[in-house]
Amino acid sequence: MDPRREHVRRLLQVDAYLTDVQGEHNFPAQIIDISRMGVAFVSDHAMPADEQYLLNFCFPGSTIRNEITLTVVNSQAVGTHGRFRNGARFIAISEACADRIVDYVTTAPA
């Protein structure tokens, strides 16, 4: 089995933003799927592989902010409008946030 697919993923469309580790720049993004170990998101900028960012987002219908430190694994152009599909692996995540992700990916959509 491909190790990138060993965790259950679920589609998710929510706005998010990434902050560089220096806290100097914010990058808007839209999450498109999530799992316990990583996330895929679309952005207006290519995200360099192996760079670390802080991801900040809320699940639909929730006001709880989730903050996760991640490292970008890949970034590739998608479509013709200067957008990029990015894949990232979580490297630091609170237990409470991990629990919310597991609840989200294992609960059937309403």
Side-chain angles (χ1 to χ4, degrees):
M1 172 186 265
D2 184 342
R4 295 175 300 162
R5 300 292 179 244
E6 66 186 64
H7 295 277
V8 176
R9 290 183 173 273
R10 182 167 165 200
L11 297 178
L12 172 65
Q13 271 193 310
V14 295
D15 290 332
Y17 65 89
L18 292 104
T19 305
D20 60 12
V21 291
Q22 296 81 20
E24 297 175 358
H25 300 99
N26 287 329
F27 304 95
Q30 184 177 46
I31 295 175
I32 56 176
D33 77 40
I34 194 164
S35 76
R36 167 63 181 86
M37 300 303 288
V39 65
F41 60 94
V42 177
S43 64
D44 290 335
H45 303 342
M47 307 299 283
D50 299 322
E51 292 289 320
Q52 291 184 10
Y53 296 92
L54 179 65
L55 174 68
N56 192 306
F57 72 99
C58 293
F59 282 105
S62 175
T63 59
I64 298 171
R65 282 240 154 280
N66 298 288
E67 291 188 349
I68 303 167
T69 303
L70 56 77
T71 186
V72 174
V73 177
N74 59 56
S75 183
Q76 55 189 331
V78 61
T80 58
H81 299 290
R83 305 276 285 162
F84 295 85
R85 186 183 194 286
N86 307 278
R89 181 175 42 248
F90 300 150
I91 56 175
I93 183 170
S94 72
E95 187 174 331
C97 183
D99 289 345
R100 286 189 292 274
I101 291 170
V102 169
D103 286 347
Y104 181 80
V105 299
T106 58
T107 302

